[in-house]
Amino acid sequence: MATVRLGDIAPDFEAETSQGKIKFHEWLGDSWGILFSHPADFTPVCTTELGTVANYYPEFEKRNVKVIALSVDGVDSHMEWIKDINETQNTTVNFPIIADEDKHVAELYDMIHPNASESFTVRSVFIIGPDKKVKLTLTYPASTGRNFDELLRVIDSLQLTAKYSVATPANWKDGDKVVISTSIKDEDIAAKFPKGYERVKPYLRITPQPNK
């Protein structure tokens, strides 16, 4: 199995999902995307995760992000599991779950780690840009549920830094100050960042978030 790394084109695939058959790149279109895998249907942590994503869905839509989940179980199993998710998490799952019974997608994205489990996918996350390139990868153990507030924070950072010559510092959240890229010369900062800046060190220059 090849390793999918940052900057790689996200592998394309066709798959059956709980919302019908898709071609991944075509389904993404011009949107950002999150692909996240689950060890199996009818598992407790996964049930809370998919419920959380459904409840957060307006936040993903606001950011032009499409969300798609994956499990190695089949469509019929997914449809029954969705009923449980909706009931227990007080939500409506409104995004597709890939039925990866032959593990084709799991292998494309290296989601099965044999030393963790021979047959189940780990909790992988891939954030994919509109250019179809992988912008973030995360892998969690089966015992640890994901933090979707953190994924929204990362998307905010990725979308901001794609448009402006900035980076986001530790623990940054939308609205906080940002770091000016080291590729920008001091004499060019005023034109690019009219809100002003603080020069902490020659390589550390802080400015208010430019799109706020």
Side-chain angles (χ1 to χ4, degrees), residues 4-10 131-137:
V4 178
R5 295 176 175 168
L6 298 184
D8 289 352
I9 297 293
D131 57 3
K132 308 299 184 290
K133 290 184 178 179
V134 175
K135 307 298 183 181
L136 172 137
T137 66

Side-chain angles (χ1 to χ4, degrees), residues 18-203:
S18 57
Q19 295 184 358
K21 192 165 190 174
I22 66 157
K23 294 181 178 179
F24 186 51
H25 283 192
E26 184 180 289
W27 175 82
L28 278 175
D30 295 326
S31 299
W32 290 72
I34 293 182
L35 168 63
F36 64 116
S37 59
H38 300 269
D41 292 358
F42 301 103
T43 50
V45 176
C46 302
T47 299
T48 66
E49 288 187 321
L50 268 71
T52 298
V53 172
N55 285 322
Y56 277 39
Y57 203 77
E59 292 298 323
F60 290 113
E61 282 190 311
K62 189 191 302 182
R63 293 162 171 82
N64 188 32
V65 178
K66 290 184 175 178
V67 180
I68 190 164
L70 174 145
S71 165
V72 295
D73 294 305
V75 170
D76 289 345
S77 174
H78 288 352
M79 300 308 291
E80 288 302 311
W81 185 31
I82 286 170
K83 294 177 186 177
D84 282 2
I85 297 166
N86 291 343
E87 176 193 345
T88 63
Q89 306 304 302
N90 192 30
T91 193
T92 300
V93 172
N94 48 5
F95 54 89
I97 306 174
I98 296 165
D100 194 34
E101 292 181 280
D102 63 1
K103 300 182 177 64
H104 173 62
V105 180
E107 290 177 354
L108 277 178
Y109 282 82
D110 191 22
M111 292 172 171
I112 295 176
H113 295 190
N115 289 331
S117 170
E118 290 285 351
S119 55
F120 294 118
T121 51
V122 291
R123 295 187 198 285
S124 297
V125 183
F126 298 88
I127 295 180
I128 299 157
D131 57 3
K132 308 299 184 290
K133 290 184 178 179
V134 175
K135 307 298 183 181
L136 172 137
T137 66
L138 283 171
T139 301
Y140 291 73
S143 57
T144 304
R146 283 162 278 214
N147 184 327
F148 290 95
D149 289 319
E150 167 63 4
L151 294 181
L152 287 171
R153 188 190 77 90
V154 170
I155 290 164
D156 286 340
S157 173
L158 288 168
Q159 293 182 343
L160 174 68
T161 58
K163 291 182 180 179
Y164 300 92
S165 299
V166 297
T168 55
N171 294 336
W172 173 89
K173 57 184 182 297
D174 189 38
D176 288 351
K177 291 182 179 180
V178 296
V179 175
I180 297 170
S181 171
T182 54
S183 64
I184 305 298
K185 295 177 181 177
D186 282 353
E187 56 266 31
D188 297 329
I189 290 178
K192 286 182 173 289
F193 301 98
K195 295 179 182 178
Y197 75 102
E198 177 188 359
R199 190 174 188 268
V200 181
K201 291 286 184 182
Y203 58 85

